[in-house]
Amino acid sequence: MYILFPGRHHLLTSFQFDYLKQVIAVQFEGAVDVDGKPFQKMEVSGLIFAVTSANHSNTRRNPLPFYLRAMGLQVFSAGLGVPSYIYGVDDVGHLDNFARYTIKKIRHESDECFDLSPKNAVVLCSTPVLEMYARLGFRILPAELGDRATYKMKTENPWDLVERIARSADWEKDQVLAAKIHPASASIWQEYRLGQKAKMLFSDRMIGDDGDITSTRDYNSYVRQMDEIAGLKYEDTASFIQSGRVGDIGCSAGSWIKLACQDVRFRESDFYGIEVARHLYDLCLQRKHNGDFNSPFVFFSKKNAVMDLVFDEGSMNTIHTSSLTHEIVSYGSQADLLQFISNRYRELVPGGVWINRDVVGPEEKDSMVLMRLCKNDGRSDNYEQAIEDRSELATYLKGLSTF
């Protein structure tokens, strides 16, 4: 019988290790499921870790990339005495049948070695996700969960400890954390300075839990619009670019960098795209994989340029931003914009240039303005009709008056 352990697994606890060690040692005998019913003795064939949100990282909800989580799990499971297997499961949004998707994903990723079902697997889970597996007939090992009715925990779950790290002035000296975090996770968090990253991500006022400024943007239309005006942006800014290390902050899908790579003046330059929105960052990586950039020296990172530096101090010859600074004020504050400008100053070499292309808002923007619009250059009634077909909608809109 396998133990399926789904979760984001950003941090592993000593409680989890001791709990699994005990279940494996007694081969389930004496352990109770989430409903308080005891298990019979069964051989534990192995542990299967389903690492969910494996395609997400550098966000408040998913600070660690998949490879670091997998490294921690490998060390964690080495002391449990049974084979362990680690599979990444992509974030696919809210799915009522996410448990079924996870099982199918493991079957696919394992080349059909593991076709998990209630007949060959028990699920270890302490969060409401367990209800999805229970509906499929799996028995549930509750781990930290004390009461299924109220979801009251017997001890902190791993995410409680992640949040404590983010709040801590010096988490490595916190004796409570030292006692509760498993050494496999503690070493990963220390060696890769993840406490500092968590503190930055959790203090970010502008970016949501999943790493986006807004959850309402239609990224398909947004990218299309950015691509359509990329030539105009590049024409406006190209004469100011200094060769060397060239950064594009808020690079969207990398359209400006793509044009800069085609400019023979910058054939010896390195290009660094910074994008905080997860959807756009993924597009940049896909475009690089497709060979869209006329240079191998193009690198993309998912970072927030407001909260901190995104390039080494005094390292950049050119930093370009377009249609970005107004969003910092719109979704953040004037103070955030000043911090952003200060960060860019620190990143530039002496004599380097920050090229900022953006809209300009009017002074006294709250004053009422009387507009006199033409009503006889088109139709001024029937202007709220809903039309699905795009070509029909275009014709309909063209028929409206300026008013």
Side-chain angles (χ1 to χ4, degrees), residues 243-273:
S243 60
R245 290 171 57 91
V246 181
D248 185 14
I249 299 177
C251 65
S252 185
S255 304
W256 186 88
I257 290 178
K258 180 180 178 180
L259 293 174
C261 288
Q262 296 169 358
D263 193 324
V264 295
R265 294 177 298 156
F266 309 121
R267 60 183 178 273
E268 298 295 328
S269 294
D270 297 339
F271 296 92
Y272 299 87

Side-chain angles (χ1 to χ4, degrees), residues 117-315:
S117 72
K119 294 180 180 180
N120 63 10
V122 170
V123 174
L124 189 153
C125 186
S126 62
T127 71
V129 172
L130 69 84
E131 306 295 347
M132 298 184 186
Y133 290 97
R135 287 196 294 269
L136 297 178
F138 287 92
R139 291 187 72 182
I140 312 296
L141 286 165
E144 299 92 352
L145 182 61
D147 184 1
R148 183 178 184 178
T150 62
Y151 275 91
K152 184 177 181 179
M153 299 291 167
K154 293 182 291 189
T155 185
E156 295 99 331
N157 63 36
W159 194 248
D160 292 330
L161 302 184
V162 171
E163 291 182 334
R164 181 167 178 139
I165 290 174
R167 294 192 303 266
S168 175
D170 188 351
W171 74 272
E172 294 182 50
K173 295 181 179 178
D174 187 323
Q175 295 304 307
V176 173
L177 288 171
K180 293 181 180 294
I181 299 174
H182 189 271
S185 273
S187 63
I188 292 288
W189 277 74
Q190 289 166 358
E191 290 171 16
Y192 288 86
R193 297 182 297 175
L194 298 174
Q196 183 178 350
K197 172 177 280 192
K199 191 180 297 292
M200 183 272 290
L201 292 171
F202 276 73
S203 64
D204 192 339
R205 301 180 301 276
M206 289 179 56
I207 307 302
D209 287 350
D210 282 321
D212 289 320
I213 291 178
T214 171
S215 60
T216 58
R217 175 170 287 163
D218 179 353
Y219 281 103
N220 289 328
S221 62
Y222 181 79
V223 169
R224 188 164 56 247
Q225 292 166 9
M226 293 299 101
D227 281 346
E228 287 172 354
I229 64 170
L232 176 61
K233 286 183 179 181
Y234 191 72
E235 184 179 328
D236 286 347
T237 57
S239 63
F240 302 102
I241 301 173
Q242 296 181 11
S243 60
R245 290 171 57 91
V246 181
D248 185 14
I249 299 177
C251 65
S252 185
S255 304
W256 186 88
I257 290 178
K258 180 180 178 180
L259 293 174
C261 288
Q262 296 169 358
D263 193 324
V264 295
R265 294 177 298 156
F266 309 121
R267 60 183 178 273
E268 298 295 328
S269 294
D270 297 339
F271 296 92
Y272 299 87
I274 305 296
E275 181 51 59
V276 71
R278 174 172 46 84
H279 297 279
L280 299 177
Y281 172 68
D282 290 344
L283 276 175
C284 290
L285 297 182
Q286 184 62 50
R287 285 183 163 185
K288 182 176 180 180
H289 178 73
N290 292 345
D292 286 359
F293 302 99
N294 190 33
S295 169
F297 298 100
V298 176
F299 309 94
F300 293 102
S301 299
K302 186 179 182 301
K303 297 179 179 179
N304 184 349
V306 176
M307 300 299 296
D308 206 349
L309 303 184
V310 292
F311 306 119
D312 291 339
E313 196 161 347
S315 68

Side-chain angles (χ1 to χ4, degrees), residues 110-121:
S110 68
D111 292 327
E112 303 187 11
C113 288
F114 298 115
D115 189 6
L116 301 180
S117 72
K119 294 180 180 180
N120 63 10

Side-chain angles (χ1 to χ4, degrees), residues 368-381:
M368 296 295 292
V369 176
L370 176 64
M371 296 181 67
R372 187 169 295 164
L373 302 174
C374 182
K375 293 185 176 182
N376 56 16
D377 58 348
R379 188 178 63 257
S380 293
D381 58 1

Side-chain angles (χ1 to χ4, degrees), residues 343-367:
N343 291 342
R344 305 297 73 78
Y345 179 81
R346 292 170 60 194
E347 291 166 346
L348 289 169
V349 300
V353 60
W354 170 34
I355 308 167
N356 184 47
R357 181 187 185 279
D358 209 339
V359 296
V360 178
E363 294 183 1
E364 301 179 3
K365 62 182 181 180
D366 295 324
S367 299

